[in-house]
Amino acid sequence: MPAPAPAATRCPGAGLRPDSANAAAAAQATLCLVNQIRVSHRLRPLRANPQLTGVATSQVATMVGWDYFADVRPTGQTPMSLIAGSPYRVRGAELSVGQNIAWGSGVLGSPGRIVSAWMASPPHRAIILTGEYLDAGVAVKPALPSVVGAGSRGATYAMEFAVRHY
């Protein structure tokens, strides 16, 4: 996996190994890193949104608790259905959403490494570089679903991207 870009040093917490004391700082660093990339591509930075953060928090907790790793929950709920069912949608007539998930252990679980991995993956990169998105929510859980086979030490990430169309 590639090392984080030099810009990562401008985001406090980019090199954190997430644990229960710093998971919120790791989530903030993740959004910061994604916003640096967006700005470098002449895109608007994403605004942190508490409703999307709630969806991301639910996603990582569910993946770890239900022992799976996928965008779609075992119940069939998609990122679109989760966000559409949240208070985020209330003020918008239409909705566009995206979701990136990841897991990593040791240094590979740091925000810098996770964002680097997303940028190295064409589908994840495309979501990050979708100029239409205006809002985001990030959650980091310092645990792994056992299904990934990497032991229990590491972190699971979810980042929700959205825009309401009026």
Side-chain angles (χ1 to χ4, degrees), residues 125-146:
R125 178 186 176 89
I127 291 170
I128 289 170
L129 297 179
T130 297
E132 176 183 27
Y133 297 134
L134 300 177
D135 301 311
V138 182
V140 179
K141 185 163 182 68
L144 297 172
S146 63

Side-chain angles (χ1 to χ4, degrees), residues 46-115:
L46 299 165
R47 298 177 298 223
N49 179 278
Q51 290 88 18
L52 295 177
T53 299
V55 172
T57 300
S58 172
Q59 181 67 6
V60 294
T62 303
M63 286 191 294
V64 171
W66 292 5
D67 193 26
Y68 75 98
F69 184 77
D71 289 310
V72 178
R73 292 186 178 182
T75 58
Q77 291 174 291
T78 64
M80 174 61 88
S81 66
L82 292 171
I83 294 171
S86 77
Y88 180 80
R89 175 133 195 251
V90 172
R91 295 189 316 264
E94 294 180 33
L95 186 64
S96 295
V97 305
Q99 176 180 264
N100 282 350
I101 59 173
W103 66 269
S105 58
V107 296
L108 299 179
S110 72
R113 292 294 184 101
I114 294 296
V115 173

Side-chain angles (χ1 to χ4, degrees), residues 15-69:
L16 286 174
R17 291 186 187 186
D19 60 32
S20 59
N22 68 18
Q28 289 175 342
T30 303
L31 180 59
C32 175
L33 291 165
V34 166
N35 276 337
Q36 284 184 351
I37 291 164
R38 288 176 60 88
V39 168
S40 76
H41 285 85
R42 298 181 185 173
L43 298 172
R44 183 181 323 188
L46 299 165
R47 298 177 298 223
N49 179 278
Q51 290 88 18
L52 295 177
T53 299
V55 172
T57 300
S58 172
Q59 181 67 6
V60 294
T62 303
M63 286 191 294
V64 171
W66 292 5
D67 193 26
Y68 75 98
F69 184 77

